[in-house]
């Protein structure tokens, strides 16, 4: 729809359905939270990349000053005995992550001092992001040619290496044949649904904003098809690359693969580095992995920042489209995010990071927004009107299945998943043992509700600001501003056709 209005984010919703303008604000807020958390992951990856150039990987042994007596050294021959018999044993990779990189404190109440190495990496990542997008999509597009394609080369190299390792088949089988009992767990499907929303950037306005830069007659059907195939295909190939290495790791330790599999930051900063340390030429594979991780992460960070910037520029075009205004505002945006996330690079920063990731960027928040997005588009703006716009843009008639999705399937699935996520809610813990204090859970719910409540809150504000009866105000706010655009454009086309027809007559 941004392609049709030539504007994205909040302004697009304001034109399509003024009553649903709060959806745009909620999506932008989730993106803002994502910007603050995602770049922290990139900072950790950059620090690991720097350590990868060491003569010996620091997470490969227990001979470092940060290691404890419970550390398991996989470079020795008796590491399997240590792992299976030591109840309090921890791997060298885990101790490097928790005691060297994070220097993690005992809880969120103990913020501690700033981790200066992580802070320096954070500054470097913000500088890279700033200069890659400061000129808009033209500069970002040139950078993305490298950051979006080079990771595929790294992924292919890691895939070949992973499949050639002993035990790789064990990991691939575990990847392709899920546990049937887990398929009956609704939590698994909720996590899968939330991951799809995150993976495709659905619900937060990213595709709407980027689509606003396309020409009006751009074939959005092909774009959607290519996006789905490329995204899902990349995820499948990456799964083979990761689980083949995890299979090798389980083979070397002689333990079930479920015991070495991690999720979240643990996969990228504990499980995979630990497996890499057990390979020949570990520095080479570590460099390849973290270069790929950084470049893939930069693409995501670019999009999130560009969406926020474009939305604000579209809201205040007269002010923000003057020379130098974009660069100055982007600098202000980066500095604000940087100083706001300093608490995440402290010794207790991991607890704050997880709280933001679990509550502020939660899949339930996006699912809630998607329920109202589909209701606003399918029922208020109108599925028939939407089909007419797509036909006018692409020249192709919309498949009736899409109308069924807009009207029924998508809102029902999103609503059902959102309700299940509330019913199955589990309080956040760290490493399955640390329980957050009550005030932290309250703060987490405030972060979650900050985006959710913008939708009904903004609708109530718009209704109260109008005059007339409640029914009249509701009817006026449900009328899209773009209703007359199609007719105006048709009139311009007819006028141009008339001018072309009359010009030869005038010459004669």
């Amino acid at each position: 729809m941004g392609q049709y209005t030539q504007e994205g984010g909040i302004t697009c919703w304001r034109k399509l359905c003024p009553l649903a303008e709060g959806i745009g604000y909620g999506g932008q807020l989730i993106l803002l939270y994502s910007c603050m958390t995602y770049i922290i992951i990139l900072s950790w990856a950059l620090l690991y990349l720097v350590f990868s150039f060491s003569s010996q990987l620091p997470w490969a042994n227990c001979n470092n000053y940060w290691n404890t007596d419970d550390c398991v050294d996989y470079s020795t021959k008796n590491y399997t005995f240590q792992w299976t018999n030591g109840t309090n044993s921890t791997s060298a990779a885990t101790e490097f992550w928790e005691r060297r990189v994070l220097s993690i404190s005992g809880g969120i109440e103990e913020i501690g001092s700033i981790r200066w190495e992580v802070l320096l990496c954070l500054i470097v990542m913000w500088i890279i992001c700033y200069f890659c997008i400061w000129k808009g999509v033209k500069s970002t597009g040139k950078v993305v040619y490298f950051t979006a394609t080079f990771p595929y080369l790294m992924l292919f190299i890691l895939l070949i290496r992973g499949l050639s390792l002993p035990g790789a088949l064990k990991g691939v089988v575990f990847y392709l044949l899920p546990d049937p009992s887990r398929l009956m767990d609704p939590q698994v499907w909720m996590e899968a649904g939330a991951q799809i929303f995150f993976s495709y950037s659905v619900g937060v306005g990213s595709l709407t904003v980027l689509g606003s830069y396309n020409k009006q007659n751009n074939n959005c059907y092909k774009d959607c098809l290519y996006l789905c195939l490329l995204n899902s295909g990349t995820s499948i190939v990456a799964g083979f690359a990761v689980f083949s290495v995890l299979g090798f790791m389980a083979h070397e330790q002689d333990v079930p693969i479920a015991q070495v599999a991690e999720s979240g930051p643990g996969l990228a900063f504990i499980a995979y580095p630990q497996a890499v340390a057990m390979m020949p030429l570990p520095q080479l594979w570590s460099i390849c992995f973290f270069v790929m991780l950084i470049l893939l992460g930069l693409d995501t960070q670019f999009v999130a920042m560009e969406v926020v910037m474009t939305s604000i520029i579209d809201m205040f075009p007269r002010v923000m489209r003057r020379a130098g205004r974009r660069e100055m505002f982007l600098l202000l945006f980066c500095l604000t995010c940087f100083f706001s996330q300093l608490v995440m690079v402290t010794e207790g920063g991991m607890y704050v990071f997880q709280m933001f990731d679990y509550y502020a960027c939660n899949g339930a928040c996006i699912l809630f927004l998607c329920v109202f997005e589909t209701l606003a588009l399918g029922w208020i703006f109108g599925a028939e009107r939407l089909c007419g716009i797509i036909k006018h843009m692409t020249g192709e008639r919309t498949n009736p299945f899409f109308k069924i999705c807009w009207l029924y399937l998508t809102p029902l699935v999103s609503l059902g998943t959102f309700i299940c996520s509330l019913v199955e809610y589990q309080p956040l813990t760290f490493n399955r043992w640390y329980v957050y204090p009550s005030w932290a859970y309250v703060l987490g719910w405030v972060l979650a509700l900050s985006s959710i409540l913008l939708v009904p809150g903004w609708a109530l504000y718009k209704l109260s600001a109008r005059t007339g009866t409640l029914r009249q105000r509701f009817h006026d706010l449900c009328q899209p501003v773009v209703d007359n655009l199609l007719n105006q454009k048709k009139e311009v086309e007819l006028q141009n056709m008339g001018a072309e027809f009359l010009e030869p007559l005038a010459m004669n």
Side-chain angles (χ1 to χ4, degrees):
M1 291 307 298
Q3 180 180 329
Y4 179 72
T5 62
Q6 295 299 302
E7 291 173 307
I10 300 169
T11 309
C12 182
W13 277 111
R14 183 182 297 168
K15 288 189 173 184
L16 294 178
C17 182
L19 189 67
E21 187 179 337
I23 296 174
Y25 289 105
Q28 298 302 302
L29 192 57
I30 293 177
L31 274 179
L32 179 60
Y33 292 144
S34 300
C35 284
M36 294 178 59
T37 56
Y38 210 85
I39 201 168
I40 295 291
I41 299 176
L42 296 181
S43 304
W44 294 332
L46 180 60
L47 185 58
Y48 267 80
L49 178 62
V50 173
F51 278 114
S52 299
F53 289 93
S54 305
S55 57
Q56 184 177 21
L57 295 179
W59 57 82
N61 60 75
C62 297
N63 302 323
N64 307 286
Y65 68 88
W66 59 81
N67 294 126
T68 64
D69 294 336
D70 297 324
C71 180
V72 177
D73 189 350
Y74 289 101
S75 63
T76 60
K77 297 297 182 181
N78 62 338
Y79 60 77
T80 303
F81 176 80
Q82 293 175 350
W83 179 266
T84 56
N85 292 275
T87 56
N88 296 322
S89 298
T90 55
S91 66
T94 301
E95 291 202 350
F96 176 79
W97 167 242
E98 294 183 353
R99 300 177 61 85
R100 178 65 177 87
V101 176
L102 300 179
S103 187
I104 194 165
S105 65
I108 195 173
E109 308 94 332
E110 305 173 21
I111 291 299
S113 60
I114 291 178
R115 301 294 297 155
W116 295 105
E117 293 170 323
V118 181
L119 177 64
L120 182 61
C121 292
L122 180 63
I123 294 173
V124 171
M125 297 312 301
W126 272 119
I127 292 175
I128 293 174
C129 290
Y130 176 81
F131 284 105
C132 285
I133 73 167
W134 70 323
K135 292 298 183 182
V137 292
K138 292 184 178 180
S139 63
T140 309
K142 296 177 181 178
V143 174
V144 168
Y145 277 119
F146 173 75
T147 60
T149 55
F150 188 74
Y152 282 97
L153 176 61
M154 295 289 99
L155 180 61
F156 181 74
I157 294 174
L158 292 172
L159 174 64
I160 298 300
R161 178 54 181 159
L163 293 176
S164 64
L165 293 170
L169 181 60
K170 181 179 179 181
V172 172
V173 171
F174 182 85
Y175 172 54
L176 295 178
L177 299 178
D179 184 1
S181 62
R182 295 288 292 164
L183 296 179
M184 302 302 294
D185 185 0
Q187 185 67 29
V188 173
W189 292 100
M190 285 188 293
E191 294 292 338
Q195 180 59 39
I196 288 295
F197 279 87
F198 274 113
S199 180
Y200 285 90
S201 295
V202 176
V204 294
S206 299
L207 300 178
T208 307
V209 169
L210 297 180
S212 67
Y213 288 100
N214 286 329
K215 297 179 180 179
Q216 186 185 346
N217 60 351
N218 180 67
N219 194 322
C220 56
Y221 271 126
K222 289 184 179 179
D223 287 350
C224 292
L225 179 61
Y226 293 155
L227 172 66
C228 294
L229 291 177
L230 183 61
N231 197 313
S232 299
T234 302
S235 300
I236 293 173
V237 174
F240 281 101
V242 170
F243 277 89
S244 60
V245 173
L246 293 180
F248 160 73
M249 187 174 171
H251 171 78
E252 291 293 302
Q253 297 179 16
D254 194 23
V255 296
I257 191 171
Q259 192 169 332
V260 300
E262 294 273 353
S263 62
L267 175 62
F269 300 110
I270 297 178
Y272 207 94
Q274 182 176 315
V276 164
M278 301 164 65
M279 301 180 189
L281 300 175
Q283 290 87 351
L284 173 63
W285 307 118
S286 180
I287 291 171
C288 290
F289 175 72
F290 287 108
V291 166
M292 180 191 70
L293 190 65
I294 290 173
L295 292 180
L296 287 174
L298 281 175
D299 284 341
T300 304
Q301 186 72 12
F302 290 164
V303 170
M305 293 175 64
E306 184 62 47
V307 168
V308 175
M309 289 298 300
T310 301
S311 299
I312 295 175
I313 291 173
D314 286 344
M315 289 176 63
F316 309 102
R318 294 183 180 179
V319 177
M320 297 301 299
R321 289 178 181 171
R322 296 178 183 177
R325 294 293 178 86
R326 175 189 171 88
E327 292 83 352
M328 291 300 297
F329 182 77
L330 178 60
L331 178 61
L332 177 63
F333 172 79
C334 293
L335 290 175
T336 302
C337 291
F338 171 75
F339 286 110
S340 299
Q341 63 189 170
L342 285 179
V343 67
M344 296 187 190
V345 295
T346 60
E347 293 175 346
M350 185 61 182
Y351 302 103
V352 181
F353 169 85
Q354 278 210 327
M355 191 171 65
F356 266 79
D357 184 62
Y358 191 81
Y359 288 101
C361 307
N362 196 297
C365 300
I366 299 181
L367 288 168
F368 181 85
L369 293 181
C370 287
V371 172
F372 286 90
E373 282 187 18
T374 50
L375 291 176
L377 276 177
W379 294 92
I380 298 179
F381 183 76
E384 286 294 338
R385 184 187 283 116
L386 188 59
C387 291
I389 290 175
I390 294 176
K391 182 180 179 181
H392 177 257
M393 291 166 54
T394 64
E396 298 181 20
R397 186 177 297 275
T398 309
N399 192 305
F401 176 72
F402 288 105
K403 292 174 62 177
I404 298 175
C405 290
W406 296 330
L407 291 172
Y408 306 107
L409 290 182
T410 306
L412 288 176
V413 171
S414 300
L415 180 61
T417 310
F418 173 74
I419 294 175
C420 287
S421 66
L422 296 181
V423 173
E424 299 290 334
Y425 165 75
Q426 296 291 334
L428 174 65
T429 59
F430 179 75
N431 277 355
R432 300 183 181 89
W433 62 267
Y434 174 74
V435 179
Y436 283 72
S438 299
W439 63 265
Y441 291 123
V442 173
L443 180 58
W445 277 106
V446 169
L447 291 172
L449 293 174
S450 62
S451 57
I452 290 176
L453 293 181
L454 277 174
V455 178
W458 195 261
L460 291 175
Y461 165 73
K462 298 290 283 187
L463 285 170
S464 61
R466 292 285 182 124
T467 58
T469 65
L470 180 61
R471 184 174 182 176
Q472 289 174 339
R473 284 178 282 177
F474 184 82
H475 181 268
D476 292 341
L477 290 173
C478 290
Q479 298 301 313
V481 180
V482 297
D483 247 359
N484 297 324
L485 289 181
L486 187 60
N487 293 331
Q488 292 175 2
K489 290 174 181 177
K490 285 183 177 180
E491 290 179 3
V492 172
E493 291 174 359
L494 290 173
Q495 291 174 1
N496 292 336
M497 291 175 60
E500 293 175 358
F501 176 74
L502 293 174
E503 185 176 355
L505 296 179
M507 293 177 63
N508 292 332

